[in-house]
Amino acid sequence: LVTSSGSGLDPHISHQGAMVQVDRVAKARSLSVDQVKQLVEANVEGPQLGILGESVVNVLGLNLALDELKK
C-alpha cells in the first residue's frame, strides 16, 4: 500500500490492499469483519479484458456500499 499511487485519483486499490484494511474499517464503522469482507468481495473488478492486470477493488463503490449499511 505504501508504494501504490498516492495521487488519490485512482478509484481502485488491490484486492490484497483492501483485505489488509478490513479489520480497521470494520472497527471504524462499527460493523462486523464479515460484513466488510462481503462488501469488499462485492466490489472486486476483474482484470481489464479478462487478462490484463490484477483484480482490484473499486473504493468509491465500496465506500458507498458501506454508507448504505448505516442508513
Side-chain angles (χ1 to χ4, degrees), residues 2 4 9 11 17 21-22 25-27 34-36 40 42 44-45 50 53 55 60 62-63 65-66 68 71:
V2 173
S4 296
L9 299 177
Q21 299 182 65
V22 165
V25 171
K27 184 177 179 181
D34 286 337
Q35 285 176 302
V36 177
V40 168
V44 171
E45 296 177 0
S55 295
L60 176 59
L62 177 57
N63 282 325
L66 287 164
E68 283 295 313
K71 288 185 177 181

Side-chain angles (χ1 to χ4, degrees), residues 28-50:
R29 290 187 175 253
S30 300
L31 298 170
S32 75
V33 170
D34 286 337
Q35 285 176 302
V36 177
K37 282 183 181 179
Q38 287 175 353
L39 290 176
V40 168
E41 295 302 329
N43 285 280
V44 171
E45 296 177 0
Q48 293 179 350
L49 303 175

